[in-house]
Amino acid sequence: MGSAFHTTTLRLTTGHRETIRDLTGECAAFLHEIGARDGLLNVFVPHATAGVAIIETGAGSDDDLLDALGELLPRTDRWRHQHGSTGHGRDHVLPGLVAPHATVPVTAGSAALGTWQSIVLVDTNRDNPDRTVRLSFLG
């Protein structure tokens, strides 16, 4: 049996505030649509100011992550990269801490996530609300 590669692009609007956007449902729909069985799902955000994480959502962890990033990367004018809103330079440092990609095993057509895990887009850039996320499956 040969391998197959499928890919799609999601276009999202995240708004003008820091946000964590759950992508788990879109990932599941993509896997279902292509008839995925076993393989790997890669989630990639082609932006210099956003990342992808696998975390628990809905119980405060998403806000805790944004708070922790705010402490590590304060929105001040201390950053060398200075254009856009105050502190935008910190958004360009974000992908160094929250990678712009995640790869998840897929078994029997479903992402093999843990009970409380979700695939999320982490977007701290208040200047650009339009985001692209590429989902790719190799199986």
Side-chain angles (χ1 to χ4, degrees):
M1 175 180 208
S3 63
F5 179 77
H6 301 273
T7 190
T8 193
T9 301
L10 306 174
R11 304 220 184 274
L12 309 170
T13 300
T14 57
H16 290 285
R17 63 182 185 85
E18 297 180 9
T19 190
I20 301 226
R21 168 77 154 63
D22 194 338
L23 302 173
T24 310
E26 285 100 330
C27 292
F30 169 66
L31 294 171
H32 178 62
E33 178 182 307
I34 64 169
R37 298 299 307 145
D38 297 337
L40 295 173
L41 172 67
N42 182 263
V43 181
F44 175 72
V45 56
H47 296 283
T49 58
V52 176
I54 298 176
I55 63 169
E56 178 181 10
T57 60
S61 298
D62 34 2
D63 288 331
D64 287 342
L65 176 56
L66 290 176
D67 288 347
L69 290 170
E71 289 180 27
L72 288 170
L73 306 171
R75 189 168 291 287
T76 65
D77 62 359
R78 73 178 232 190
W79 304 98
R80 289 180 191 93
H81 183 107
Q82 293 199 12
H83 70 84
S85 64
T86 300
H88 176 66
R90 57 92 69 157
D91 299 327
H92 287 273
V93 176
L94 173 77
L97 300 175
V98 180
H101 61 88
T103 301
V104 178
V106 175
T107 56
S110 296
L113 295 168
T115 302
W116 304 111
Q117 289 181 319
S118 295
I119 303 166
V120 300
L121 170 68
V122 179
D123 186 3
T124 61
N125 184 351
R126 301 183 304 192
D127 295 340
N128 181 8
D130 300 315
R131 295 299 182 178
T132 301
V133 178
R134 177 162 300 282
L135 306 180
S136 301
F137 176 76
L138 180 62

